[in-house]
């Protein structure tokens, strides 16, 4: 049992006075490249982290009883009438998964423990939802395709947390493999897990700037992409070609957003190929270009993040790269470099 699972089991025992029947786990994720393209039906290259969320569970004699060990907070609700919590937060995810679960579910006691820093853009919410789903599956003995589980968790974000996110986080958390990056086509959810060369070093650097209340800004970016697609007369920016960008007004917000999406999808395809070819210098250059595009065209970075990314890029030189990762507006930076330089 990994440490965080032990913590969940210990929290369960002290909260409910008994040993749990089982413990489920789901990781967080870091995106190597391909940001703000998943909801445009694009291509992404995320990978699961070792850190994540563990849930110790057992049947409950009456109603759901949930204990968030890290926050020392409880929630109780009936399986038959799951209401949205008044404020979006961890309860939204627990209740959302229970409300939207497609099969009959017995009431459970659950203790949740996580070792993902919150507010860093490492998908603590997708990790929580998929861990809950795994606990539900373990309880009933049912099986579910990871794509279905990912779609369900995405619906919970949309309907219970109010974030109109794409499907990248849920998919890599549900179907990713350790030490592999997932090349995922968000249009049809086809994917391939690609092994990361053992002499590459990948880590997450905290920018020291927590993501604030940015769900509104995230949803606005999604809307802006839809407006750009509409102006081009296409359903989705995935179908935009580089030459189409000339049809959008020079200097306009729509043109900048579309230029990011078109460029980022191309960079992500290239990056997957470069990963397989173990070409670290070219892979790193793609990462650096992705950061510039998110900063200048998609405008989701922050000056403090940019300064740190600059510093990291200079330290790494030609043997790798660094960029903001995830939704942006602060949060984490991903660094890829030569392992020898870090050991
Ligand atoms: C957040 C969302 C994802 C994705 C990224 C940006 O993590 O949950 O769906 O859009 O931002 O790439």
């Amino acid at each position: 049992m990994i440490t965080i699972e032990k913590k969940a089991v210990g929290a369960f025992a002290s909260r409910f006075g008994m040993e749990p029947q089982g413990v489920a786990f789901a990781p967080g994720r870091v995106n190597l490249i391909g940001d703000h393209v998943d909801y445009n039906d694009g291509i992404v290259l995320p990978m699961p982290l070792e850190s994540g969320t563990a849930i110790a569970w057992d049947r409950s004699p009456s109603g759901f009883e949930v204990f968030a060990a890290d926050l020392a907070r409880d929630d109780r609700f009936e399986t038959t009438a799951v209401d949205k919590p008044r404020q979006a937060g961890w309860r939204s995810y627990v209740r959302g998964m229970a409300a939207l679960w497609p099969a009959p579910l017995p009431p459970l006691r659950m203790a949740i423990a996580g070792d993902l820093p919150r507010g860093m853009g490492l998908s603590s919410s997708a990790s929580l939802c998929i861990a809950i789903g795994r606990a539900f599956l373990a309880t009933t003995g049912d099986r579910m395709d990871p794509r279905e589980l990912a779609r369900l968790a995405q619906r919970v974000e949309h309907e219970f947390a109010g974030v109109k996110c794409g499907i990248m986080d849920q998919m890599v958390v549900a179907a990713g493999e350790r030490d592999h990056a997932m090349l995922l086509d968000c249009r049809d959810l086809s994917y391939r897990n690609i092994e990361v060369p053992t002499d590459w070093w990948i880590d997450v650097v905290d920018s020291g700037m927590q993501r604030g209340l940015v769900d509104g800004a995230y949803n606005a970016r999604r809307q802006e992409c839809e407006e750009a697609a509409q102006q081009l007369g296409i359903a989705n920016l995935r179908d935009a070609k580089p030459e189409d960008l000339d049809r959008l007004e020079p200097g306009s917000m729509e043109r900048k957003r579309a230029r990011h999406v078109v460029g980022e999808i191309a960079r992500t395809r290239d990056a997957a190929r470069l990963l397989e070819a173990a070409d670290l210098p070219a892979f790193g250059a793609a990462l650096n270009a992705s950061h510039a595009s998110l900063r200048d065209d998609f405008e989701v970075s922050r000056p403090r993040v940019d300064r740190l990314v600059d510093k990291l890029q200079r330290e790494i030189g030609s043997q790798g790269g660094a960029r903001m990762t995830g939704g942006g507006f602060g949060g984490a930076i991903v660094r890829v470099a030569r392992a020898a330089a870090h050991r």
Side-chain angles (χ1 to χ4, degrees), residues 162-185:
V163 183
K164 303 284 178 211
C165 64
I167 191 76
M168 164 174 77
D169 305 345
Q170 293 78 7
M171 272 300 293
V172 68
V173 169
E177 232 180 283
R178 204 178 159 162
D179 298 326
H180 289 65
M182 173 185 270
L183 177 64
L184 169 67
D185 185 333

Side-chain angles (χ1 to χ4, degrees), residues 29 34-36 38-39 165-169 218 326-327:
R29 69 98 186 90
D35 269 317
H36 287 277
D38 61 349
Y39 54 81
C165 64
I167 191 76
M168 164 174 77
D169 305 345
Y218 179 91

Side-chain angles (χ1 to χ4, degrees), residues 285-301:
L287 258 57
N288 297 351
S290 165
H291 184 81
S293 176
L294 287 157
R295 179 191 61 209
D296 302 335
D297 279 345
F298 217 70
E299 297 175 285
V300 288
S301 191

Side-chain angles (χ1 to χ4, degrees), residues 79 95-105 132-133 136-137 140 142-145 148-153 155-156:
T79 326
R95 291 184 181 206
M97 286 299 288
L100 301 182
W101 196 250
L105 201 60
I132 292 168
F136 289 174
L137 289 170
T140 57
D142 289 336
R143 287 179 171 278
M144 191 185 275
D145 184 276
E148 195 190 336
L149 184 55
R151 283 208 179 93
L152 192 78
R155 269 185 68 202
V156 169

Side-chain angles (χ1 to χ4, degrees), residues 147-260:
R147 292 178 181 86
E148 195 190 336
L149 184 55
R151 283 208 179 93
L152 192 78
Q154 184 194 27
R155 269 185 68 202
V156 169
E157 284 279 3
H158 287 204
E159 296 173 27
F160 278 73
V163 183
K164 303 284 178 211
C165 64
I167 191 76
M168 164 174 77
D169 305 345
Q170 293 78 7
M171 272 300 293
V172 68
V173 169
E177 232 180 283
R178 204 178 159 162
D179 298 326
H180 289 65
M182 173 185 270
L183 177 64
L184 169 67
D185 185 333
C186 300
R187 173 157 271 179
D188 59 10
L189 300 193
S190 58
Y191 66 87
R192 201 151 52 82
N193 287 320
I194 305 172
E195 195 168 1
V196 174
T198 48
D199 67 336
W200 288 25
W201 168 276
I202 299 180
D203 71 348
V204 172
V205 180
D206 184 357
S207 70
M209 191 182 169
Q210 277 242 335
R211 302 176 64 209
L213 288 171
V214 293
D215 300 347
Y218 179 91
N219 291 346
R221 287 297 182 282
R222 184 172 182 150
Q223 173 106 41
E224 289 162 7
C225 290
E226 283 163 15
E227 277 160 27
Q230 208 173 9
Q231 286 184 19
L232 289 173
I234 52 178
N236 204 293
L237 286 182
R238 166 74 179 267
D239 298 320
K241 302 195 173 42
E243 56 273 23
D244 291 335
L245 298 174
D246 299 337
R247 292 199 281 121
L248 295 167
E249 199 184 314
S252 66
M253 173 271 290
E254 288 83 3
R255 182 149 158 170
K256 284 162 84 176
R257 304 296 185 253
R259 187 164 54 203
H260 166 71

